[in-house]
Amino acid sequence: EVLFRGWAQSFLVKQVGALAGILLASLLFMGFHLIGAPLSPLAMLNLFLGGILFGLFAWRSGGIIAPFAAHFAWNVTEDVGLGLVPNPGVGGFGAIIDYDLVGRSLWGGSAEGLNASLGTSLVLVALCLPLVWRSKPIGSGAHGQHQPDPAAV
Protein backbone atom coordinates (compact mmCIF):
# COMPACT_ATOMS: atom_id res chain seq x y z
CA GLU A 1 0.00 0.00 0.00
CA VAL A 2 2.90 2.34 0.66
CA LEU A 3 4.15 1.77 -2.89
CA PHE A 4 0.85 1.74 -4.78
CA ARG A 5 -1.38 4.13 -2.81
CA GLY A 6 1.16 6.11 -0.82
CA TRP A 7 3.56 6.85 -3.65
CA ALA A 8 2.27 5.89 -7.14
CA GLN A 9 -1.36 6.91 -6.70
CA SER A 10 -0.49 10.15 -4.92
CA PHE A 11 1.90 11.07 -7.73
CA LEU A 12 -0.51 10.04 -10.49
CA VAL A 13 -3.50 11.87 -8.96
CA LYS A 14 -1.44 15.06 -8.89
CA GLN A 15 -0.42 14.56 -12.52
CA VAL A 16 -3.61 13.34 -14.21
CA GLY A 17 -6.46 13.74 -11.70
CA ALA A 18 -8.29 11.42 -9.33
CA LEU A 19 -10.01 9.08 -11.77
CA ALA A 20 -7.03 8.46 -14.03
CA GLY A 21 -4.61 8.35 -11.08
CA ILE A 22 -6.63 5.69 -9.27
CA LEU A 23 -7.07 3.63 -12.44
CA LEU A 24 -3.39 3.82 -13.39
CA ALA A 25 -2.25 2.89 -9.87
CA SER A 26 -4.70 -0.03 -9.99
CA LEU A 27 -3.16 -1.22 -13.26
CA LEU A 28 0.27 -1.10 -11.63
CA PHE A 29 -1.10 -3.07 -8.66
CA MET A 30 -2.51 -5.71 -11.01
CA GLY A 31 0.71 -5.85 -13.01
CA PHE A 32 2.79 -6.31 -9.88
CA HIS A 33 0.80 -9.46 -9.06
CA LEU A 34 1.67 -10.92 -12.47
CA ILE A 35 5.31 -11.17 -11.37
CA GLY A 36 4.49 -14.18 -9.17
CA ALA A 37 2.65 -16.27 -11.72
CA PRO A 38 0.44 -16.02 -14.78
CA LEU A 39 -3.17 -15.33 -13.84
CA SER A 40 -6.49 -15.91 -15.52
CA PRO A 41 -8.22 -12.88 -17.04
CA LEU A 42 -10.85 -12.93 -14.28
CA ALA A 43 -8.17 -12.99 -11.57
CA MET A 44 -6.49 -10.01 -13.28
CA LEU A 45 -9.82 -8.17 -13.37
CA ASN A 46 -10.33 -8.84 -9.66
CA LEU A 47 -6.86 -7.57 -8.83
CA PHE A 48 -7.62 -4.43 -10.84
CA LEU A 49 -10.96 -4.00 -9.03
CA GLY A 50 -9.21 -4.59 -5.69
CA GLY A 51 -6.71 -1.91 -6.63
CA ILE A 52 -9.58 0.46 -7.38
CA LEU A 53 -11.19 -0.34 -4.01
CA PHE A 54 -7.98 0.28 -2.10
CA GLY A 55 -7.32 3.37 -4.23
CA LEU A 56 -10.75 4.79 -3.42
CA PHE A 57 -10.11 4.20 0.28
CA ALA A 58 -6.83 6.10 -0.02
CA TRP A 59 -8.38 8.91 -2.04
CA ARG A 60 -11.37 9.32 0.28
CA SER A 61 -9.37 9.10 3.50
CA GLY A 62 -6.32 11.07 2.35
CA GLY A 63 -3.85 8.46 3.58
CA ILE A 64 -2.82 4.82 3.46
CA ILE A 65 -4.20 3.54 6.77
CA ALA A 66 -7.68 2.80 5.35
CA PRO A 67 -6.44 0.95 2.24
CA PHE A 68 -3.82 -0.87 4.30
CA ALA A 69 -6.50 -2.03 6.77
CA ALA A 70 -8.87 -3.07 3.96
CA HIS A 71 -6.13 -4.98 2.10
CA PHE A 72 -4.98 -6.66 5.31
CA ALA A 73 -8.55 -7.62 6.27
CA TRP A 74 -9.24 -9.02 2.79
CA ASN A 75 -6.10 -11.17 2.75
CA VAL A 76 -6.41 -12.40 6.34
CA THR A 77 -10.08 -13.31 5.87
CA GLU A 78 -9.37 -15.17 2.64
CA ASP A 79 -6.19 -16.92 3.83
CA VAL A 80 -6.34 -17.41 7.60
CA GLY A 81 -10.06 -17.02 8.25
CA LEU A 82 -11.45 -19.22 5.49
CA GLY A 83 -8.43 -21.20 4.27
CA LEU A 84 -9.10 -20.34 0.63
CA VAL A 85 -5.50 -19.81 -0.47
CA PRO A 86 -4.43 -22.00 -2.10
CA ASN A 87 -7.62 -23.68 -3.20
CA PRO A 88 -7.90 -26.45 -2.10
CA GLY A 89 -5.73 -26.46 0.97
CA VAL A 90 -4.41 -24.29 3.72
CA GLY A 91 -1.63 -21.79 3.20
CA GLY A 92 1.51 -21.43 5.28
CA PHE A 93 -0.29 -19.63 8.11
CA GLY A 94 -2.95 -22.28 8.65
CA ALA A 95 -6.64 -21.40 8.78
CA ILE A 96 -9.48 -21.14 11.25
CA ILE A 97 -11.85 -22.80 8.77
CA ASP A 98 -10.68 -24.66 5.68
CA TYR A 99 -13.17 -24.21 2.86
CA ASP A 100 -12.45 -25.84 -0.45
CA LEU A 101 -14.20 -24.10 -3.30
CA VAL A 102 -15.58 -26.63 -5.76
CA GLY A 103 -17.77 -26.37 -8.80
CA ARG A 104 -17.46 -24.17 -11.84
CA SER A 105 -14.19 -22.28 -12.08
CA LEU A 106 -16.13 -19.11 -12.88
CA TRP A 107 -17.44 -19.17 -9.29
CA GLY A 108 -14.16 -20.06 -7.60
CA GLY A 109 -13.79 -23.80 -8.13
CA SER A 110 -10.32 -23.53 -9.63
CA ALA A 111 -6.80 -23.45 -8.21
CA GLU A 112 -7.08 -19.64 -8.12
CA GLY A 113 -10.19 -19.87 -5.93
CA LEU A 114 -11.87 -16.57 -5.05
CA ASN A 115 -9.20 -14.63 -6.88
CA ALA A 116 -10.72 -15.87 -10.15
CA SER A 117 -14.36 -15.82 -9.11
CA LEU A 118 -17.15 -13.81 -10.69
CA GLY A 119 -18.62 -13.55 -7.19
CA THR A 120 -15.49 -11.70 -6.08
CA SER A 121 -15.88 -9.32 -9.02
CA LEU A 122 -19.45 -8.53 -7.97
CA VAL A 123 -18.45 -8.01 -4.32
CA LEU A 124 -15.59 -5.68 -5.29
CA VAL A 125 -17.85 -3.59 -7.54
CA ALA A 126 -20.46 -3.42 -4.76
CA LEU A 127 -17.81 -2.24 -2.28
CA CYS A 128 -16.49 0.40 -4.70
CA LEU A 129 -19.84 1.97 -5.61
CA PRO A 130 -20.53 3.72 -2.27
CA LEU A 131 -17.01 5.16 -2.30
CA VAL A 132 -17.51 6.52 -5.80
CA TRP A 133 -20.90 8.11 -5.18
CA ARG A 134 -20.42 9.26 -1.61
CA SER A 135 -21.56 12.90 -1.54
CA LYS A 136 -19.21 14.08 1.20
CA PRO A 137 -15.56 13.14 1.41
CA ILE A 138 -14.32 11.09 4.34
CA GLY A 139 -11.20 13.26 4.42
CA SER A 140 -9.58 15.92 2.34
CA GLY A 141 -8.38 13.31 -0.15
CA ALA A 142 -4.88 12.27 -1.09
CA HIS A 143 -2.69 15.32 -0.83
CA GLY A 144 -5.53 17.78 -1.26
CA GLN A 145 -6.51 16.41 -4.65
CA HIS A 146 -10.06 15.39 -3.71
CA GLN A 147 -12.87 16.85 -5.73
CA PRO A 148 -16.26 16.10 -4.13
CA ASP A 149 -17.94 15.82 -7.55
CA PRO A 150 -18.91 12.12 -7.86
CA ALA A 151 -18.71 12.36 -11.65
CA ALA A 152 -14.96 12.97 -11.27
CA VAL A 153 -14.44 9.37 -10.17
Side-chain angles (χ1 to χ4, degrees), residues 1-151:
E1 291 307 314
V2 171
L3 175 63
F4 294 106
R5 262 48 80 184
W7 177 76
Q9 181 172 305
S10 294
F11 173 79
L12 291 166
V13 165
K14 287 179 187 175
Q15 301 302 311
V16 296
L19 175 60
I22 291 169
L23 294 176
L24 289 170
S26 298
L27 282 173
L28 291 172
F29 178 74
M30 179 193 71
F32 178 78
H33 284 82
L34 292 173
I35 294 171
L39 300 171
S40 70
L42 190 52
M44 290 173 36
L45 171 67
N46 287 337
L47 284 165
F48 179 66
L49 291 171
I52 291 171
L53 176 65
F54 304 142
L56 287 168
F57 275 127
W59 181 67
R60 288 289 185 182
S61 70
I64 62 167
I65 293 173
F68 177 84
H71 197 162
F72 181 80
W74 183 279
N75 288 348
V76 167
T77 299
E78 184 180 32
D79 297 358
V80 178
L82 302 176
L84 293 172
V85 175
N87 182 43
V90 178
F93 294 111
I96 296 169
I97 301 170
D98 182 15
Y99 285 115
D100 290 337
L101 298 175
V102 295
R104 302 186 78 173
S105 61
L106 185 63
W107 293 102
S110 71
E112 290 179 286
L114 284 181
N115 293 330
S117 166
L118 186 58
T120 297
S121 305
L122 297 173
V123 167
L124 287 167
V125 169
L127 291 171
C128 287
L129 289 177
L131 294 170
V132 170
W133 282 302
R134 187 177 170 93
S135 62
K136 291 186 178 184
I138 293 170
S140 61
H143 303 284
Q145 295 297 312
H146 178 16
Q147 300 295 323
D149 177 13

